[in-house]
Amino acid sequence: MAQDSTQEKHNLAGVKHTVLVLSGKGGVGKSTVATQIALALKQAGLKVGILDVDLCGPSIPRMLNVEGNDVHQCAQGWVPVYADKDQQLSVMSIGFLLGNKDDAVVWRGPKKNAMIKQFLTDVFWGDLDYLIIDTPPGTSDEHITVIENLQEYKADGAILVTTPQAVAVGDVRRELTFCRKTKIPVLGVVENMSGFVCPHCTECTNVFSKGGGEALANQFSVPFLGCIPLDPQLTQSLENGQNFLELYSNSASAAAVRKITEVLLKR
């Protein structure tokens, strides 16, 4: 046990800031927000790691075009996969450990928790400015395992992702309660899929209504970080593993992501 504790301290000691990305339900674009924030931080000249602990839906490798890569071992533990040639963005995911990308992870709680703890203790991140942790939707054993294993390192807090609809906002309300009970600071709420941006005329239409995330943030007295509109170009970039912020730097969605990241950096 003492050896495990020493290893954990060694592997996380070089991480300056740790941010969890949470959502009350699936399908709100949590992994999209996590990857875009990570890419925006890298674009700002920072060294970033992204840990995908969504064991049953590991989508980060595809979004960052590192699917099919192998994880290697070094004396300090697992070496994360680098998503760029400059090694400024590193990634760890269960997706790298599956024999086939279509394999299902059919594990009970204890095995999931052991895997997450191993990710937090055995991955040699080196020196990082930010570690972004993409969590599963909801409030489950996996979240408690992450929080318990980060207590010593005092995570900066959590970004909560929602869509504008009342159903999604209601689930994030429970996520806010979870954060309060577990004493995780809430860095802010992001309203994703907030309007549809036409790729031809750039006009924004509020398909799923608007303002639910901001109203929720005001109700709970937590920061509202901003809205990210639905954007077909963003979707296509993620499907192809391309860097959306570089390809479409002048788009409304890219501007929204950069604005959210700037708020995060000013903390």
Side-chain angles (χ1 to χ4, degrees):
M1 182 66 73
Q3 185 178 354
D4 289 346
S5 178
T6 304
Q7 183 75 5
E8 179 179 354
K9 184 174 182 180
H10 176 71
N11 283 341
L12 289 177
V15 179
K16 294 178 184 175
H17 302 282
T18 305
V19 176
L20 287 81
V21 181
L22 308 175
S23 68
K25 64 187 282 108
V28 299
K30 170 182 52 61
S31 297
T32 297
V33 172
T35 55
Q36 297 312 299
I37 288 175
L39 287 167
L41 289 168
K42 173 186 170 289
Q43 202 172 63
L46 301 175
K47 194 167 185 180
V48 186
I50 183 162
L51 174 58
D52 182 4
V53 295
D54 191 350
L55 301 183
C56 295
S59 52
I60 298 293
R62 176 168 182 172
M63 291 178 171
L64 292 175
N65 197 30
V66 289
E67 226 175 10
N69 280 260
D70 294 322
V71 172
H72 300 285
Q73 290 269 1
C74 68
Q76 294 86 356
W78 284 338
V79 179
V81 172
Y82 291 100
D84 63 327
K85 61 182 180 181
D86 299 322
Q87 297 191 351
Q88 292 294 107
L89 178 59
S90 50
V91 187
M92 179 53 75
S93 170
I94 188 71
F96 300 133
L97 307 178
L98 300 176
N100 185 308
K101 68 178 183 179
D102 296 325
D103 287 348
V105 176
V106 188
W107 293 350
R108 293 187 184 274
K111 191 169 182 180
K112 285 184 179 181
N113 295 339
M115 184 78 260
I116 290 171
K117 184 170 183 181
Q118 193 170 3
F119 276 152
L120 290 167
T121 58
D122 289 1
V123 178
F124 180 56
W125 296 103
D127 293 328
L128 288 182
D129 293 300
Y130 277 87
L131 176 62
I132 308 296
I133 302 180
D134 183 35
T135 66
T139 54
S140 59
D141 281 358
E142 291 99 313
H143 299 81
I144 296 169
T145 300
V146 170
I147 290 164
E148 285 178 347
N149 283 277
L150 287 176
Q151 279 181 347
E152 183 182 346
Y153 299 94
K154 300 190 185 306
D156 289 43
I159 293 173
L160 275 60
V161 181
T162 185
T163 49
Q165 309 99 301
V167 171
V169 170
D171 287 333
V172 174
R173 187 177 286 111
R174 286 184 280 275
E175 198 82 34
L176 280 161
T177 306
F178 170 82
C179 288
R180 288 185 172 176
K181 286 183 177 180
T182 54
K183 297 183 171 62
I184 290 289
V186 176
L187 301 178
V189 175
V190 172
E191 184 175 296
N192 193 31
M193 306 184 198
S194 184
F196 168 75
V197 176
C198 175
H200 303 293
C201 68
T202 69
E203 182 179 346
C204 185
T205 304
N206 294 321
V207 180
F208 300 130
S209 76
K210 187 177 177 66
E214 187 170 7
L216 180 66
N218 292 334
Q219 179 186 345
F220 278 79
S221 301
V222 298
F224 179 67
L225 298 179
C227 299
I228 302 175
L230 272 168
D231 190 331
Q233 294 169 331
L234 173 56
T235 304
Q236 195 61 49
S237 296
L238 292 168
E239 290 285 333
N240 297 334
Q242 296 172 313
N243 189 330
F244 169 76
L245 298 180
E246 288 183 356
L247 288 175
Y248 303 100
S249 58
N250 295 324
S251 67
S253 297
V257 171
R258 285 194 296 268
K259 185 178 178 181
I260 289 167
T261 308
E262 285 168 9
V263 173
L264 189 63
L265 288 171
K266 287 177 182 175
R267 287 191 69 260

